[in-house]
Amino acid sequence: MKLMKRRTAMAVLGAVAAATMAGTAMAQTVTLRLHQMLPPQATIPARALTPWAQKVEAESGGRIKVQLFHAMQLGGAPPQLFDQARDGVVDFTWTVLGYTPGRFPKTEVFELPFMSGSAEASSRAIQEYVEKYAPEEFKDVKLIAVHTHGPGLFHTKAPVTGLESLRGMKIRGGSRIINNMLTKLGATPVGMPVPAVTEALSKGVIDGTTIPWEVTPSLKVPELVKNHTTFAGKEGLYTQTFAFSMNKAAYEKLPADLKAVIDKNSGIETAAMFGRAMDDGDKAGREIAVKAGNNIVALDIQETQRWRRTAASVETDWVNEVKAKNIDGAKLAAEARALIAKHSK
């Protein structure tokens, strides 16, 4: 009888200890590091990454802490950011996919000229597109979201009032497709990550840059150039694609309830939130240029059509390039446009 009581007591104590340990594990806080390339006041850090981190922390009951490291504080260069998340150098990164040319061939369809307009609609579209047609391009990370920026345009020292005035200008481009487009349009493309634009403009390395309105304030572009060229219609000259990624091992280490918090803050609504931040940032960036008294050139429909026709061969080039990788580029371009139209309604 005494032996049975002793065993029962030990079993109860064991159960209590196990429950205590489980409770402690459940209450553990996890600190995750997020690394990105832009200064903290830029649109995505201020209006998307920081709110996202705050939302995750709140919904986890404070058990997930996200530390944000801006402007490449943890080292490396912007083209290395995707691999920093993949390799576990950090837990999250946000980056431009075009900084690693040819690595995301299916996803780069969204960069084709005059493909998209509203960043929110295009971000919903690209998230759905990647999930359907290109999940293998992100198999090495836990993908939080992909998104685009709003309409791309020119910001130049001398005004771009038509195709002829662009010819010979040294213009920064952010991806191989955009650089090919600039070549077709008669410019001399200069590839570089967006953080390098400020110095390149100030030192005369480039005559202008292709970026959306939203990032111009943080790069001091309205101070460095006085001319901005926009296009008729809803679509911009181009867009770029972005990925917000998490290290797979960091995700797998989380308990199930914290994984659920990350999952809830991943996918199409998160992509849309990043897109909305871009759209709002475009309005704010344009207003700064207006208040500065800068010259905003609005090309009319006829001139815009000239640009469209001249840039059309960029899509043909891309379709031929990806065909070598057994990718049906024409089909994917049609699917991308259909998804943009669906989410633009």
Side-chain angles (χ1 to χ4, degrees):
M1 183 67 96
K2 286 182 180 179
L3 182 60
M4 286 181 63
K5 285 182 178 179
R6 192 178 301 118
R7 284 177 176 169
T8 301
M10 288 176 69
V12 169
L13 287 170
V16 170
T20 302
M21 287 175 68
T24 302
M26 288 292 287
Q28 268 185 328
T29 61
V30 180
T31 300
L32 302 171
R33 300 190 302 168
L34 194 166
H35 197 204
Q36 61 88 29
M37 74 192 87
L38 293 176
Q41 71 271 21
T43 299
I44 286 297
R47 302 189 188 201
L49 292 174
T50 297
W52 184 89
Q54 291 169 342
K55 188 169 183 282
V56 165
E57 184 167 340
E59 290 178 7
S60 69
R63 289 169 53 217
I64 296 177
K65 309 284 186 186
V66 181
Q67 292 181 329
L68 278 79
F69 294 88
H70 306 290
M72 303 306 300
Q73 282 177 294
L74 297 180
Q80 298 169 329
L81 280 166
F82 186 85
D83 285 345
Q84 287 187 358
R86 182 197 66 182
D87 298 339
V89 176
V90 294
D91 302 297
F92 297 101
T93 60
W94 173 83
T95 192
V96 177
L97 294 177
Y99 290 171
T100 48
R103 187 168 178 179
F104 305 93
K106 292 182 180 178
T107 307
E108 68 184 4
V109 66
F110 278 78
E111 297 177 11
L112 293 173
F114 297 101
M115 173 67 75
S116 64
S118 156
E120 180 176 355
S122 295
S123 295
R124 287 182 180 275
I126 194 174
Q127 182 71 34
E128 185 174 342
Y129 171 94
V130 163
E131 290 175 6
K132 284 184 178 179
Y133 302 111
E136 73 281 0
E137 294 188 351
F138 300 91
K139 62 181 172 56
D140 294 329
V141 297
K142 161 71 176 174
L143 185 62
I144 305 300
V146 283
H147 70 98
T148 74
H149 63 53
L153 63 148
F154 287 104
H155 311 268
T156 52
K157 293 180 179 180
V160 175
T161 55
L163 269 174
E164 291 74 17
S165 56
L166 181 69
R167 287 173 188 157
M169 281 192 186
K170 293 177 292 184
I171 303 293
R172 175 263 176 186
S175 76
R176 71 185 192 95
I177 287 184
I178 294 163
N179 287 339
N180 185 29
M181 175 191 71
L182 290 171
T183 299
K184 304 279 189 187
L185 295 171
T188 300
V190 182
M192 66 180 68
V194 76
V197 165
T198 307
E199 184 177 1
L201 281 173
S202 64
K203 290 186 173 179
V205 174
I206 54 176
D207 302 311
T209 183
T210 52
I211 48 175
W213 283 115
E214 58 83 18
V215 77
T216 56
S218 61
L219 298 179
K220 304 186 186 307
V221 170
E223 302 166 32
L224 294 168
V225 306
K226 296 300 177 184
N227 300 282
H228 315 270
T229 299
T230 66
F231 297 82
K234 293 180 181 179
E235 296 82 17
L237 176 65
Y238 73 96
T239 192
Q240 286 207 260
T241 58
F242 303 81
F244 182 21
S245 309
M246 183 179 186
N247 175 257
K248 267 191 168 182
Y251 173 77
E252 292 299 336
K253 286 177 187 175
L254 297 175
D257 62 330
L258 294 188
K259 282 182 183 174
V261 173
I262 298 295
D263 291 343
K264 183 182 174 184
N265 289 282
S266 303
I268 197 163
E269 292 305 324
T270 299
M273 185 265 282
F274 277 64
R276 279 194 301 277
M278 288 294 207
D279 286 335
D280 291 343
D282 279 345
K283 294 172 189 173
R286 189 181 191 281
E287 187 58 31
I288 286 170
V290 169
K291 286 182 178 178
N294 287 6
N295 175 38
I296 299 177
V297 178
L299 299 182
D300 62 21
I301 293 172
Q302 288 75 21
E303 183 61 23
T304 298
Q305 286 300 328
R306 288 183 69 212
W307 290 69
R308 283 177 177 268
R309 288 192 296 269
T310 305
S313 60
V314 175
E315 184 164 334
T316 304
D317 290 348
W318 177 79
V319 168
N320 290 334
E321 286 170 11
V322 297
K323 187 177 181 181
K325 299 179 180 181
N326 296 316
I327 296 170
D328 187 342
K331 178 184 176 183
L332 291 181
E335 295 290 351
R337 288 192 174 93
L339 286 169
I340 291 168
K342 168 188 168 182
H343 290 291
S344 297
K345 292 176 181 176

